[in-house]
Amino acid sequence: MNEISVKNIYMCSEDVVAREIEGELIIVPLVAGIGDMDDELFTLNETGKLIWDCLDGKTSLLDIIENIQREYNADTDLIEEDVLGLVGELVRRGILIDKSTP
Amino acid sequence: MTSFVSKLNLEDFSLWKKIEDHRVPLDFYLEITARCNNNCRHCFINLPEGDVEAQNKELTLAEISDIADQAVELGTMWCLLTGGEPLLREDFFEIYLALKKKGLLLSLFTNACLVTEEHIAFFKKYPPQYIEVSVYGISEEVYERVTRKPGSYANFRHGLDLLFESGIKIKLKTMALRSNFNELSEIAKFCREHSDSTFRFDPLLHLRYDQDPLRNNQIRQERLTSDEIVAIEKADEERSMALQNNCAHFIFSDNYRVDDDFLFHCGAGKSSFTVSYDGFFRLCFGLWHPDTIYNLRNGTLEEAWNHHIPKIRNIRSTNPEFLRICQNCPIVNLCLNCPAHAYLETGSMDAVVPYFCQVAHARATALEEAIKEKG
Ligand code: SF4
Ligand code: SF4
C-alpha cells in the first residue's frame, strides 16, 4: 500500500488542479474518481496549506520538515506527524503522488 | 487524528465572506460559436452551421485559453460553455480540456443532437458539473416544428439517451413557444421524470442579438400572450409556488421603490460576465448595447472587469417617460424589463416595453388572486 516515507519527494497529481482564490486553496479534480462524487472539491486547513506550499515536487519530506522546523522553531516530532498525516491523506485521495514511483 | 483535507462545502465557503465588499467574476458564459445545427424559430443567436464568415470570427483555442487564464487570475471558478451549439466546434474537446486544466468548473449547454459515444467517454473521464439540454418538444412533429430541421428529433433523442445512460448530471429546460404550446405540459412531465435537478422553462423570448428584422418577427410570432404565460405559470405548480414565495413580499408594498435614476439595479457585472463567440465581453448575456460591450481582442479582461463595468453601472436614465413609469413601479420584480431586454426590444436601454408591462400586470393579478384564495 501507500507507505509514506520522509525520504520521498511528493508532487501534485496531474489529475487535479490546485488553485488559490483570494488566499483560499481549492483543489479541483480534473478526472473522475478523485472524490466520491464527480463534482467534489477539496480544501486544506491552515496547517495543511502551510505544508502544501512546501510540496514543490523537488524537496523531500525530510527537508520540508527541517525547513518548517527552522522557520517556526517548532517541535520536529510534531511537524513530522503533521507532514506525514497530510501527505498520507492526499496520497490516499489521489491528489499527491510519490515522484519516485512511476 | 486530525484531518487536513476536507471536502469543500460551497455553501459555507470562507471565500464568500472575503469577497463580500468587492466584485469578483465568479462565473462566466462562454459562447464558443454562434453557429448551430438546428434553426429554431425562437433562437436569438443561431447562424447556419456552415456559415464560414461566422466561423472565421470565432475565438481560437489560443484566444479562449488566454481569456480563461485572465479569468482564473481574477478569481473565476465556473464557466458555462454555450453557443449556438458548442459541440459544432471541431476543437471542442481541446477547448473543454484546456479550460478544465485551469481548474475551472465547467458546465455545458447543448441541444444534444450531436452527442456521440466519443463525447460520452470523454465526459465520463472529465466530468462537467452538469450538462443542460433544451427540450423543445417530445414528439417529432413539435420538436421539428421548432428546430426546422428534418431528422433533428431522432438525433436529439439518441443524444439524450446516451447522456441519460452515462450517469452525467443532466438538467433539462424548455422554452414556452407558440409552436410547442400544446405540448408544454407533456414536455414538463417528461423533463421532471428524466432529470432530478429542477426543470425550468423560460417564457421570455429574447430578440436577436444581430437584430435581424425577419428573424425578430419570427420570434415575436412565437411569443405567448400575457394570459397564456400566466396560465402556464399557474398550471406549473412548482413555478407558481416559487413565484409566490419570492415575490409576494416584494410586490403590493412600497419596499422596492428606488429614488435614483441609475439604469442598472440588477446583478449585471457583479459576479459574472459573458463572452461572445467573437470576443465581446458583456455584463450579462442579453446586454448588447454597443456602449456596454467591450472587445477582448483589443483589451484585457482586467480592464473590462475593473474599469469598464463601473462606467456602465453608472449610466443614468435620461428618458422622462421611463423614469416616470418604470422607476417607481411596484411590480418591477415580476417584470421582464431590464436594460438588456429593453435594448433588444426598442434600441434603447431605458424604455417602457408594452409586452413586458402586460406580462407583469397579468402576473400581479394572478398572484393577488392566488394569495386571496389562500386567505
Ligand atoms: S438548438 Fe439552441 S442554439 Fe440551436 S437554433 Fe435551437 S435554440 Fe438556437
Ligand atoms: S414595464 Fe411596466 S411592469 Fe415593467 S417595470 Fe415598467 S411599469 Fe413596471
Side-chain angles (χ1 to χ4, degrees):
Chain A
M1 267 297 286
N2 300 319
E3 256 324 305
I4 307 300
S5 159
V6 288
K7 285 191 219 114
N8 289 352
I9 299 173
Y10 292 86
M11 62 179 205
C12 188
S13 157
E14 285 183 357
D15 291 342
V16 300
V17 184
R19 33 179 315 215
E20 233 174 85
I21 305 180
E22 313 249 336
E24 296 290 331
L25 182 75
I26 304 175
I27 298 170
V28 183
L30 185 61
V31 297
I34 298 285
D36 311 323
M37 303 258 296
D38 283 342
D39 53 0
E40 219 149 68
L41 310 177
F42 300 93
T43 190
L44 302 182
N45 67 9
E46 282 306 315
T47 316
K49 252 188 274 181
L50 191 148
I51 303 168
W52 174 268
D53 287 335
C54 306
L55 293 162
D56 57 2
K58 290 180 214 135
T59 320
S60 71
L61 295 189
L62 205 59
D63 291 340
I64 289 176
I65 293 165
E66 239 182 72
N67 293 344
I68 297 177
Q69 198 278 330
R70 228 176 297 127
E71 190 162 334
Y72 293 88
N73 217 350
D75 185 273
T76 311
D77 287 347
L78 281 182
I79 300 172
E80 181 168 330
E81 198 180 303
D82 280 352
V83 170
L84 289 180
L86 173 78
V87 172
E89 235 186 308
L90 291 174
V91 168
R92 218 174 331 113
R93 291 187 188 274
I95 295 171
L96 273 187
I97 52 166
D98 178 350
K99 211 183 161 188
S100 48
T101 51
Chain B
M1 213 180 96
T2 47
S3 178
F4 301 91
V5 190
S6 54
K7 290 176 188 169
L8 182 61
N9 179 354
L10 281 174
E11 257 138 60
D12 58 38
F13 184 23
S14 40
L15 178 65
W16 312 145
K17 269 238 124 26
K18 284 191 179 171
I19 61 174
E20 261 172 3
D21 58 346
H22 60 291
R23 291 184 300 115
V24 172
L26 289 172
D27 64 278
F28 73 115
Y29 278 42
L30 181 60
E31 294 160 354
I32 55 176
T33 181
R35 296 174 298 123
C36 186
N37 50 300
N38 285 339
N39 183 25
C40 297
R41 292 170 184 273
H42 65 283
C43 187
F44 50 76
I45 186 168
N46 80 308
L47 296 172
E49 183 173 350
D51 186 329
V52 178
E53 203 188 316
Q55 191 166 7
N56 288 339
K57 283 203 270 179
E58 285 167 6
L59 289 169
T60 62
L61 171 61
E63 286 175 314
I64 289 172
S65 177
D66 178 44
I67 291 171
D69 279 336
Q70 298 181 53
V72 164
E73 186 69 32
L74 291 172
T76 303
M77 284 179 70
W78 292 276
C79 171
L80 179 89
L81 288 173
T82 179
E85 172 49 49
L87 298 185
L88 266 186
R89 287 276 304 231
E90 274 163 25
D91 51 0
F92 174 80
F93 291 130
E94 283 96 334
I95 294 173
Y96 182 98
L97 211 54
L99 297 175
K100 194 134 170 116
K101 284 188 173 159
K102 298 180 198 300
L104 288 167
L105 304 170
L106 299 182
S107 309
L108 174 72
F109 277 4
T110 174
N111 59 36
C113 296
L114 303 173
V115 172
T116 62
E117 303 273 2
E118 199 190 345
H119 290 110
I120 299 297
F122 178 80
F123 290 134
K124 278 169 112 167
K125 176 154 188 213
Y126 304 106
Q129 299 276 293
Y130 63 88
I131 294 180
E132 186 161 301
V133 179
S134 305
V135 182
Y136 300 122
I138 49 154
S139 65
E140 182 177 354
E141 189 199 335
V142 170
Y143 188 89
E144 292 182 5
R145 191 187 302 149
V146 175
T147 63
R148 298 186 287 196
K149 179 80 186 278
S152 58
Y153 182 68
N155 292 339
F156 158 71
R157 287 308 293 259
H158 176 69
L160 197 57
D161 284 344
L162 286 177
L163 287 169
F164 286 152
E165 284 159 23
S166 73
I168 298 162
K169 186 160 157 196
I170 305 298
K171 292 186 184 184
L172 300 173
K173 65 162 184 241
T174 194
M175 306 293 298
L177 308 172
R178 174 72 47 226
S179 287
N180 66 12
F181 189 58
N182 292 330
E183 203 168 88
L184 265 183
S185 56
E186 281 139 83
I187 296 174
K189 191 164 160 254
F190 173 89
C191 292
R192 292 218 170 81
E193 278 168 10
H194 287 85
S195 148
D196 306 333
S197 21
T198 31
F199 155 74
R200 63 191 184 91
F201 77 79
D202 214 331
L204 171 65
L205 306 182
H206 283 253
L207 294 183
R208 296 281 300 182
Y209 291 169
D210 59 12
Q211 299 178 314
D212 180 337
L214 214 104
R215 295 290 309 258
N216 270 352
N217 261 340
Q218 291 170 354
I219 295 174
R220 287 202 184 87
Q221 280 165 22
E222 287 300 315
R223 282 182 169 169
L224 303 180
T225 65
S226 51
D227 287 344
E228 285 167 333
I229 291 179
V230 167
I232 316 172
E233 287 177 344
K234 216 169 160 183
D236 198 69
E237 217 169 295
E238 229 173 74
R239 190 186 175 89
S240 76
M241 282 313 290
L243 262 180
Q244 281 182 39
N245 292 337
N246 291 331
C247 296
H249 62 283
F250 273 132
I251 60 166
F252 319 122
S253 73
D254 294 331
N255 65 1
Y256 200 76
R257 311 239 158 161
V258 286
D259 46 15
D260 60 56
D261 51 6
F262 287 112
L263 221 50
F264 291 89
H265 293 100
C266 59
K270 285 196 170 159
S271 64
S272 60
F273 64 93
T274 298
V275 178
S276 74
Y277 74 105
D278 50 356
F280 281 94
F281 169 96
R282 283 128 58 200
L283 273 71
C284 77
F285 97 117
L287 188 60
W288 268 109
H289 188 286
D291 291 351
T292 66
I293 61 180
Y294 176 97
N295 190 351
L296 289 172
R297 281 180 157 148
N298 299 331
T300 64
L301 191 61
E302 193 276 330
E303 170 74 25
W305 187 257
N306 289 326
H307 303 283
H308 176 70
I309 288 182
K311 279 188 249 162
I312 304 310
R313 291 207 55 109
N314 254 329
I315 300 177
R316 290 162 186 266
S317 170
T318 49
N319 175 358
E321 192 207 11
F322 171 79
L323 288 172
R324 182 171 49 81
I325 299 177
C326 292
Q327 188 191 26
N328 286 323
C329 171
I331 57 167
V332 66
N333 281 293
L334 297 174
C335 184
L336 305 165
N337 207 356
C338 74
H341 298 159
Y343 172 70
L344 291 175
E345 300 294 318
T346 68
S348 144
M349 289 192 285
D350 48 351
V352 189
V353 182
Y355 174 67
F356 294 163
C357 214
Q358 279 159 20
V359 173
H361 280 98
R363 279 175 165 173
T365 309
L367 252 176
E368 226 166 353
E369 278 165 11
I371 290 168
K372 245 186 239 150
E373 263 169 44
K374 275 207 305 195

